[in-house]
Amino acid sequence: MIMVENRELVVPGQQLAEGDYLVSDGVFREGKRIFSTVVGLVDIKGRRIRVIPLQGPYVPKEGDLVIGVIVDVHPLGWIVDINSPYLANLLVQDYLQRKVTPGRENLKRFLQVKDVVVLRVKRVDEKKQVLLEGGKPGLGKLKGGKLVEISPMKIPRVLGKKGSMLSVLQKSGRCRLLVANNGRIMIWGSDGDVARVTDALKKIEREAHTTGLTDRIKLMLEETKEVN
Amino acid sequence: MEKPEQLIVDGKRLDGRAPEELRPIKIVAGALGRADGSAYIEMGNNKVIAAVYGPREMHPRHEAQPDFAVLRCRYTMAPFSVEERKRPGPDRRSIEISKVIREALQPALFLELYPRAVIDVFIEVLQADAGTRTAGINAAAVALADAGIPMRDLVSAVAVGKVDNTIVIDLMKAEDQWGTTDMPVAMMPRKKAITLLQMDGHFTEEEFKRALDLAMRGCEQIYEAQRRALKEKYAVGGTE
């Protein structure tokens, strides 16, 4: 028996259902009853119940695309800030994708502190120690552009259904965007366009839980298009 | 303020409340821009702000726990929060209150989801009128939920006590000062699981049961206000 509507806003401790359902993210089970653990929107698909959180930290998952900032270089690789409670480790061989003799390479030749890189999460263990990898198509050091940070929970909304929101941002915003799972977005374009898209992103972050957002963003970007 | 002759006249308290009536509550979720989660609460003349940061990397590193997140609480009173200027900074009283608040909030959190990390809760009392620790817990619970930290339930808290031989809820300054008993209670209302219970003064066994029952009913009301505050934060979107 389900006690809430699909897409309803719920708070921690609120009962969502009773009975034989599959629990997913954002919910927990006590006996036969199922409760929400976060403030978020209920998502019911068949027998699977989850709550999409509206706020929260980025917890790295294997296979995620992240934009990281190098914070330290050590003999075997780099320490990367990935906008999460946990710093991540990038080993030289995972970045160069070849065998490396420790101590033979000067790592600062490849990446230095403060460099911005797109990487993929290679492995996360139970202690949340994160290993990253690079050196594959689409991964690597980023040049130019503006880095914008929004709440990582709102990233699905920036992409939209089948990337609809992203294509609006790119087309009407006249910018190229790189959206990473950890809440960081890189924007390339003219200064005016970048500023417009940044405003649009902030609007998406504020209004992520409302409907008809893609159309409003499109309208907003089209309206400001001429001014710049 | 002089001690009044009677604290309860014709069944009404000094501020006109009935014995089982709470002070007016106002809660705003997300009151601060820079914190990961925050809340502002007014319970009568109490004004308290709570801010949550994290989960984030633990510093100093050696205090991190390998299998769960550490919860740190800091309760402080502003120098202007009380009649006589309070010396700023932690003192014996606020260190103890920080500890009991931490222990009151901890059972509600899924700390094992964030090993090695720390969650910081800051509770700042701007104006005090008895019952700041309970107001602080109420605000902190909303702030934790606002930060998106997974919780089993919110934590609601209220004080009960005995004034002029009457069991009353949510004591204000005069009642706290001249009443005979003050008992702050915090709980997770869904399961009626008590996470904080302190008592200053005396209750008979029968009085204690009645007082605890009254506190539970008070917590239910606060629980509703907390849930409403969290929902209100997101109800407004869509217009600009």
Side-chain angles (χ1 to χ4, degrees), chain B residues 122-164:
Chain B
F122 298 95
I123 295 165
E124 203 70 35
V125 179
L126 304 178
Q127 186 171 293
D129 189 40
T132 52
R133 79 191 66 189
T134 55
I137 290 170
N138 293 332
V142 175
L144 283 164
D146 180 47
I149 293 166
M151 298 168 86
R152 274 169 255 269
D153 199 2
L154 299 173
V155 183
S156 309
V158 73
V160 282
K162 190 162 80 170
V163 173
D164 283 2

Side-chain angles (χ1 to χ4, degrees), chain B residues 6-27:
Chain B
Q6 277 181 299
L7 288 159
I8 297 184
V9 187
D10 299 335
K12 292 258 181 189
R13 298 204 250 163
L14 292 179
D15 56 0
R17 277 186 294 156
E20 60 286 342
E21 192 181 338
L22 292 171
R23 290 179 280 189
I25 308 176
K26 181 183 146 194
I27 309 178

Side-chain angles (χ1 to χ4, degrees), chain B residues 63-132:
Chain B
E63 283 181 17
Q65 296 297 318
D67 45 2
F68 56 88
V70 175
L71 179 67
R72 279 194 298 213
C73 282
R74 202 183 91 131
Y75 161 104
T76 43
M77 290 179 100
F80 50 82
S81 63
V82 275
E83 274 174 37
E84 186 105 9
R85 182 187 124 94
K86 184 199 168 290
R87 274 191 68 177
D91 53 17
R92 210 178 73 104
R93 175 178 170 276
S94 64
I95 291 168
E96 182 199 316
I97 293 178
S98 303
K99 173 189 175 282
V100 298
I101 289 178
R102 187 185 74 231
E103 289 170 356
L105 296 171
Q106 203 155 268
L109 301 171
F110 289 93
L111 291 175
E112 63 277 14
L113 291 178
Y114 302 104
R116 299 193 289 129
V118 61
I119 298 168
D120 280 307
V121 178
F122 298 95
I123 295 165
E124 203 70 35
V125 179
L126 304 178
Q127 186 171 293
D129 189 40
T132 52

Side-chain angles (χ1 to χ4, degrees), chain A residues 70 77-78 90-98 100 107 109-111 115-119 132-136 139-142:
Chain A
I70 307 289
W78 299 267
L90 173 64
L91 300 177
V92 222
Q93 61 268 34
D94 288 334
Y95 183 65
L96 301 176
Q97 294 294 348
R98 61 173 164 84
V100 178
L107 298 196
R109 257 179 52 215
F110 305 110
L111 291 172
D115 276 353
V116 178
V117 267
V118 220
L119 301 162
L132 300 170
E133 64 176 349
K136 288 187 175 166
L139 306 179
K141 196 162 147 184
L142 294 175

